[in-house]
Amino acid sequence: MWWIYALLSAFFAALTAIFAKIGVSDISSNLATAIRTIVILFVAWGIVLVRGEYKGTGSISRHSLIFLVLSGIATGLSWVFYFKAIQIGKVSQVAPVDKLSVALTIIMAAVFLHESLTWKTAIGAGLIIAGTLVLILK
């Protein structure tokens, strides 16, 4: 079942790139990121409230909270740079390069989370890196 959610994520990420490119054409990329963030804030909290999951906020450990805040900072910085990149570049080039994050995540998961790195996963990450180099080298 996880792969259905992953495919939906990929589909909506593709729509995000297209909609963002159109939306950022007349305004600052930072303002565009801020607007997007507000929308995401309302959507995420709406889901939490509707599902009653807000009841667990009191039991969040300090450790979890620190890493969720760090994740939020990383996400925010990713969005700021992504919006700037699509504002000045082609979505068809920026979006695939942005997906270099997949290969970087595989490497970081092996190093920091001690996840096993199979040959199949390593080859996949290598192909993503190679594809990124093809897109960015002139």
Side-chain angles (χ1 to χ4, degrees):
M1 186 70 176
W2 65 267
W3 61 270
I4 293 172
Y5 292 115
L7 288 174
L8 287 169
S9 174
F11 174 75
F12 285 108
L15 284 179
T16 298
I18 301 304
F19 294 157
K21 177 65 175 184
I22 296 166
V24 79
S25 63
D26 298 359
I27 64 172
S28 150
S29 62
N30 293 324
L31 177 58
T33 302
I35 292 168
R36 175 184 175 187
T37 303
I38 290 169
V39 172
I40 292 168
L41 175 75
F42 283 109
V43 169
W45 275 104
I47 292 168
V48 167
L49 293 172
V50 167
R51 295 183 56 127
E53 295 169 343
Y54 61 91
K55 297 170 186 168
T57 56
S59 63
I60 298 172
S61 70
R62 184 168 189 237
H63 180 263
S64 289
L65 190 58
I66 288 169
F67 281 95
L68 290 173
V69 168
L70 290 172
S71 175
I73 291 168
T75 298
L77 290 171
S78 173
W79 291 353
V80 165
F81 293 124
Y82 181 78
F83 267 60
K84 188 63 177 176
I86 64 169
Q87 185 177 48
I88 62 177
K90 294 180 180 179
V91 171
S92 60
Q93 292 174 316
V94 172
V97 171
D98 176 65
K99 297 310 174 204
L100 177 61
S101 64
V102 173
L104 295 175
T105 301
I106 290 168
I107 294 165
M108 289 181 188
V111 172
F112 297 114
L113 302 176
H114 308 291
E115 292 186 5
S116 61
L117 184 62
T118 65
W119 280 106
K120 183 176 156 182
T121 305
I123 290 169
L127 289 170
I128 292 168
I129 293 167
T132 301
L133 290 173
V134 167
L135 287 169
I136 62 174
L137 296 177
K138 295 181 180 188

